[in-house]
Amino acid sequence: RQRAFDVVVLDPPTWTKTAAGAVDLVRDYQSLFKPCVLATRPGGTVLAVNHVASVELDEWVDSLERCAKKAGRPLEDVTVLPPEQDYPSPDGKHPLKMALARVAAG
């Protein structure tokens, strides 16, 4: 029996190497996000976090929406959570990106 959760948190390191291979958030984020969406009950939420400065916020959010739709679990809403003011960015492009992605309620 597959379990479904109300909330799933995805906060991977920027880059890591495991026995299964290397994970690079620029290329591989959707492969991490998809199982999270599939494990979230309809109407539930994935808190998705990305720490890669070179990833544009709008492009990242679009990739979350495309990934969820392709997995057959479209998102009802994506709310971007801005970083706290004590987490400065000299160029205004924060490396920290956070979004609450609500899975459509069937």
Side-chain angles (χ1 to χ4, degrees):
R1 179 178 109 175
Q2 186 176 5
R3 295 177 59 188
F5 300 91
D6 293 331
V7 177
V8 175
V9 177
L10 175 59
D11 187 6
T14 302
W15 188 90
T16 189
K17 189 172 182 179
T18 68
V23 176
D24 176 358
L25 289 190
V26 174
R27 293 187 331 255
D28 302 328
Y29 200 91
Q30 289 186 355
S31 67
L32 300 172
F33 185 68
K34 180 182 176 181
C36 294
V37 169
L38 294 174
T40 305
R41 70 162 178 79
T45 301
V46 177
L47 168 57
V49 181
N50 188 315
H51 301 271
V52 181
S54 64
V55 173
E56 294 290 332
L57 176 63
D58 292 340
E59 292 174 14
W60 178 65
V61 170
D62 287 345
S63 76
L64 299 180
E65 292 173 335
R66 284 192 315 273
C67 178
K69 185 175 181 181
K70 187 174 179 181
R73 303 293 304 278
L75 301 178
E76 184 174 303
D77 183 60
V78 178
T79 302
V80 173
L81 304 173
E84 294 295 323
Q85 291 180 358
D86 64 344
Y87 191 78
S89 175
D91 62 1
K93 294 182 179 183
H94 293 277
L96 176 61
K97 290 165 277 302
M98 299 177 290
L100 295 172
R102 190 167 9 132
V103 177

